[in-house]
Amino acid sequence: MEKIGDIFQNSNRKKPPAYQWQDLALRIINELSVPNFKRNSVFKACKEHSKDFIEKCFDDTKELAHEGESWRYFFKLVNQKK
């Protein structure tokens, strides 16, 4: 058994995302190095569009955008649907 003090020290864990689209958005933000001022746009895109569409845009971005800011290319692909 653990000491009660050890339990309270380990309580600083982050909560997991409540929805699948939040987890997907966090993965995109990390892998594409999305800057802080564009994080909300990634969450909004993942919430408004289907998971399949976002994953297709994400895969295309990783495949086609090798130079520069690849997150910009991701947003171009997402905005093409509109």
Side-chain angles (χ1 to χ4, degrees):
M1 291 235 348
E2 296 180 15
K3 294 181 183 178
I4 195 152
D6 293 339
I7 294 171
F8 288 117
Q9 285 179 345
N10 292 334
S11 66
N12 296 340
R13 297 179 190 149
K14 289 184 178 180
K15 291 182 180 180
Y19 300 101
Q20 277 189 337
W21 59 265
Q22 290 175 329
D23 193 36
L24 178 61
L26 290 172
R27 194 175 90 206
I28 291 170
I29 288 169
N30 288 333
E31 290 189 31
L32 296 182
S33 301
V34 177
N36 288 337
F37 70 94
K38 282 293 186 180
R39 286 175 55 104
N40 288 338
S41 299
V42 176
F43 283 107
K44 183 179 178 187
C46 289
K47 184 177 181 179
E48 292 178 351
H49 299 289
S50 71
K51 182 179 178 182
D52 294 333
F53 173 74
I54 294 295
E55 285 183 345
K56 183 179 182 327
C57 292
F58 183 51
D59 290 340
D60 289 348
T61 300
K62 289 192 301 186
E63 185 178 319
L64 300 173
H66 297 290
E67 297 178 8
E69 299 171 324
S70 56
W71 58 269
R72 290 182 188 265
Y73 189 77
F74 172 77
F75 285 118
K76 285 182 184 179
L77 292 175
V78 171
N79 288 328
Q80 280 183 351
K81 182 178 180 182
K82 293 180 180 177

